Amino acid sequence: MRFMICVLVCILLSSCGAASSPTVTPPAAAAPTLGTISLIISRGGDLWRFDLPAKQWTQLTNEAPNAYSTFPSIAPDGKSVVYSYRPPVPTPSAEQPFVVPVNHANQLSVDGGASKALFVPEAGKRDGQQIYDSLDTPVWSPDGKTLYGVYQTLRFDNDGVFLQSGSSIVAIDVASGTQQTIVMTGTFPSISPDGRQMAFVRTRDGIYPTLYLYDLQTKQERVLFDQPELVSALEAPIWSPDGKTIYLAASPLTLSQREPSWVDWFVKPAAAHGLGWQVWSVDVATGQGKAVNREIFEDPRIVLDGSLLYVWTFSGLWQMDLAGNPPVLIEEPGDIGGMTRVPQ
């Protein structure tokens, strides 16, 4: 048994080197003419508001140590954001020898102040199980009545033995708090401007990254972008205001130099931040995807403002246009954890 474990570990370690590749920080271009919007950004575990014209940061949350606020999403009225909130993890004790971090959905004014819980997943002990469920990457419906997010289940027995885990995309009625599973397996839900469709990411056959569309009226899903010969990973889709284009983070296959394999299922969580990523666009009518430009980022999150894209990544905040010109560095350093746009 020990021999088999050692063999598996060696395979995974060798694959980690193959799965990731050096990430290149794009060269900064000349100073741009900044837009007039504000952005709410997850930075250092807190939410901050960044005013583009003044290039001024305002801290909105002040989380306790080991607590995190990530993946903000602007409400339809532009007055608040919903975001993933991870409370501080308790210290292990004799009664609770192991602890697991979980995420809730909280709401906060775009001007800061006190936050409130919008949705707290199931937790505690029930039927001989210890429950550690989370809600990740929450987003609003255009009418503000529904939250969509990735519901992560994690269960152990009372002795700490793992029982089950899983993820699904759920719809949560904001008024009542009731939830309904709409997609059994998927990540990064994004709702179209007309509220009729949801884009999301799923690894087809457990290996190939695929962008799907789910019709919220007919309850049917279809593949929109599935080209594993071009990309090895997809994340964080957003819609254009006219609903004709989806922008997302894509890791081109030319960076990893190989198609995904079964071993990626094990190594991807650890190696994901080492992948090189580009900003891609996908035409909703045809399903054709292409890179917006050739620049490489680390784990980018994207906001669209007219003909401009703002990209939040490890190296900082970048401004890009849709014509393929080099991106411009606005602020540094960066972080991961998401970004959303405050309407004017």
Side-chain angles (χ1 to χ4, degrees):
M1 181 64 180
R2 291 183 178 176
F3 174 76
M4 291 301 297
I5 292 173
C6 290
V7 170
L8 179 58
V9 169
C10 290
I11 292 173
L12 297 183
L13 290 176
S14 63
S15 299
C16 283
S20 60
S21 58
T23 302
V24 179
T25 299
T33 300
L34 297 179
T36 59
I37 64 171
S38 293
L39 303 168
I40 293 181
I41 299 173
S42 176
R43 183 188 191 203
D46 279 297
L47 296 184
W48 296 71
R49 181 165 176 162
F50 182 69
D51 181 66
L52 275 171
K55 297 181 69 174
Q56 178 178 348
W57 292 93
T58 302
Q59 188 169 354
L60 302 182
T61 64
N62 187 17
E63 305 297 2
N66 298 320
Y68 297 92
S69 296
T70 57
F71 298 109
S73 174
I74 194 72
D77 63 7
K79 297 179 180 179
S80 67
V81 292
V82 64
Y83 61 97
S84 292
Y85 170 66
R86 176 174 295 181
V89 178
T91 302
S93 63
E95 294 77 20
Q96 192 175 12
F98 68 99
V99 294
V100 178
V102 297
N103 289 339
H104 307 164
N106 278 13
Q107 186 177 16
L108 177 74
S109 167
V110 296
D111 297 318
S115 63
K116 69 175 182 178
L118 279 185
F119 181 78
V120 178
E122 187 176 0
K125 296 183 178 181
R126 176 173 56 82
D127 300 331
Q129 296 184 2
Q130 298 186 57
I131 301 170
Y132 298 92
D133 290 359
S134 284
L135 186 76
D136 297 323
T137 58
V139 295
W140 297 91
S141 63
D143 61 9
K145 297 180 179 180
T146 306
L147 285 180
Y148 298 90
V150 178
Y151 195 94
Q152 307 275 4
T153 60
L154 182 60
R155 309 292 169 87
F156 299 85
D157 68 13
N158 288 331
D159 295 323
V161 177
F162 171 78
L163 295 176
Q164 68 179 58
S165 66
S167 65
S168 58
I169 297 178
V170 298
I172 301 166
D173 181 79
V174 175
S176 66
T178 58
Q179 70 182 70
Q180 177 186 6
T181 299
I182 57 175
V183 171
M184 286 304 300
T185 304
T187 58
F188 295 107
S190 180
I191 310 302
S192 63
D194 61 9
R196 296 181 178 181
Q197 298 187 91
M198 178 181 72
F200 68 96
V201 175
R202 177 190 291 153
T203 52
R204 179 174 56 82
D205 300 328
I207 300 176
Y208 303 106
T210 306
L211 180 65
Y212 286 80
L213 288 184
Y214 178 85
D215 191 304
L216 294 167
Q217 296 178 327
T218 66
K219 315 300 183 187
Q220 300 296 312
E221 67 178 50
R222 67 180 178 91
V223 172
L224 178 63
F225 178 71
D226 180 21
Q227 295 184 316
E229 73 280 3
L230 295 180
V231 297
S232 60
L234 298 171
E235 287 187 353
I238 64 166
W239 293 77
S240 63
D242 60 10
K244 295 181 179 180
T245 306
I246 293 175
Y247 297 92
L248 75 170
S251 181
L253 197 62
T254 52
L255 296 175
S256 59
Q257 299 299 325
R258 64 177 182 87
E259 291 193 8
S261 69
W262 65 270
V263 82
D264 290 336
W265 189 88
F266 295 95
V267 303
K268 184 179 177 182
H273 297 314
L275 293 176
W277 297 84
Q278 291 176 324
V279 177
W280 279 47
S281 64
V282 177
D283 184 271
V284 174
T286 66
Q288 295 299 307
K290 62 180 181 179
V292 174
N293 64 33
R294 298 171 57 88
E295 307 301 339
I296 305 301
F297 298 98
E298 286 182 326
D299 224 14
R301 297 296 179 258
I302 309 159
V303 162
L304 180 65
D305 178 35
S307 61
L308 296 175
L309 289 169
Y310 294 96
V311 183
W312 178 240
T313 184
F314 273 117
S315 57
L317 179 65
W318 297 79
Q319 179 175 290
M320 298 169 51
D321 61 32
L322 300 179
N325 293 313
V328 178
L329 180 62
I330 299 174
E331 283 284 301
E332 60 179 336
D335 203 343
I336 60 172
M339 172 176 66
T340 193
R341 176 183 184 273
V342 181
Q344 292 178 266

